[in-house]
Amino acid sequence: MDTDSNRLQGTALYYAFRNKLVRNYIFGSLFAVFVVGSAIVLTTISVSPQEIKRLVSILAASVVVMIAAESWVFRRHIQPIKEGLSSRPCTVHAVEKAYRQAHRLPQKAVFRILVPHFLGLAVPAAGLTLWLLNRELLHFRPIYVAAAVIGAFLVASMHAMIEFFLTTAMVRPLVKELQRLALKDHRIDLNPEGHVVLSIRPKFLVSAMLIGISPLLLFTLAAQIRLGTLNEEMMTGYWGWAGLILMVDIIFTYTGAKLLTHEVEQPISHLYDAMNHVKDGRLRTIQNVYSDEFSRLATGFNMMVRALQSREAQSRAMLDSYFVTLAVALDARDAYTAGHSLRVAEYSELIGRLSQMTEEDINVIRQSALLHDIGKIGIRDTVLLKEGHLTEEEFDQIKAHPVLGETILKQIEPKEAMAPLLPGVRSHHERYDGGGYPDGLAGEDIPLLGRIIAVADAFDAMTSDRPYRKGMAVCKALSILEEGRGTQWDPQFARIFVDYMRQQGMGKAAGDDT
């Protein structure tokens, strides 16, 4: 029943669409051929009543040829639409083909009017007229036939332009229905990324040129014919004057069309670039410099970005609070290490800022530092909280916490959210000279996060109290970091951290402690 209902609904939509296309076409053709064409021909050429009958007969015969040619092309153009909407069950290929064809119909309407429509009318009409002129059944200059063909092309061009925009408006309900059917029947989203079948530039330029130039050209042709039949002397210099007027009109129309096109293209391009930034995660508002409807679009876009920024800030704050809670819960296992993860995160963030990293990178550094010891959750209390020296086996268990921490974070969904944090968790105990663990990496083969957290972690470990020792003075810890530059720690990060701490007066007195 559901399939039959969809088929009937699609069939009804197809026939309503087809009938509306045909009505628009018939009205446009009748207006162009009989009203505009006949008015221009019959009011510019002085012919006898008998010749008028012959010209009307030629026009009628040519219209029959035109309708036959255009009907054949029209059926071919619309057949994929019929198959996509009326056939049930319908294959994915048929729906996609109908969808693509629906978007191309406006351009195909232009082709249909300029080729089978125009040629189907102009070729037999011109041929029959020249034949009757040769038989002396018509009496006017053959040059008028060429003028009539040019005039017919101009009228057909204007008809094609109107048909293009009418068809563009009519295909939108079809596109919506085909998208709905594809999603419902086949679970596919037709063209989710958007597409451009015909850009704004040619639509605006061609339309503006036709609007600005075609009526003047038609008037010029009609005036030439009319003046030529009234007084040959009046034609002296006519085309020089008319050519100058046409040239001015063409330049003016083209310039206006270019300016109009740019006026529309520029804000669209501006908004499109801004949307790409949003897609890439760069939430930035745009400067609203417009004074028309694009101002509303820019304002709406900025409202959307501000809402996203607010939600992202809330999400970041909530996520950071989760990480802080995990870090505090981990540190709570040992009273002597309470606050260790928070302090390491602050020192790591400081190093990132001193290195002029982006806010996004600094946020990743902080989160990774907060969770750098998360793997210690899997270490037994008898080992983790032991006050004396560790045995080799116990130390091996402690050394396993970076890999264990990475394994824990890999289980958190979505995995792509945790992926940036993993290198810092795994590699914060690597040494710059290759003597660290778990992978024995050296130099810049150690991930950036690991090299930063290693400096922060070591400084806090040296300056914090332990059950078996008191934390050392800040100046001594800084001296050890300085001495270990290039061997245990990254020389750049160790240097900028030590220099900053000393500039702040935290390492001048030998007796200073934390």
Side-chain angles (χ1 to χ4, degrees), residues 40 42 83 141 149 163 308 317:
I40 291 175
L42 298 180
E83 293 174 357
R141 294 164 60 187
V149 171
E163 195 74 21
L308 290 173

Side-chain angles (χ1 to χ4, degrees), residues 336-356:
Y336 285 97
T337 61
H340 169 70
S341 297
L342 290 173
R343 291 192 298 272
V344 170
E346 291 174 2
Y347 295 144
S348 299
E349 185 177 349
L350 173 63
I351 294 172
R353 293 192 184 281
L354 293 172
S355 302
Q356 298 183 340

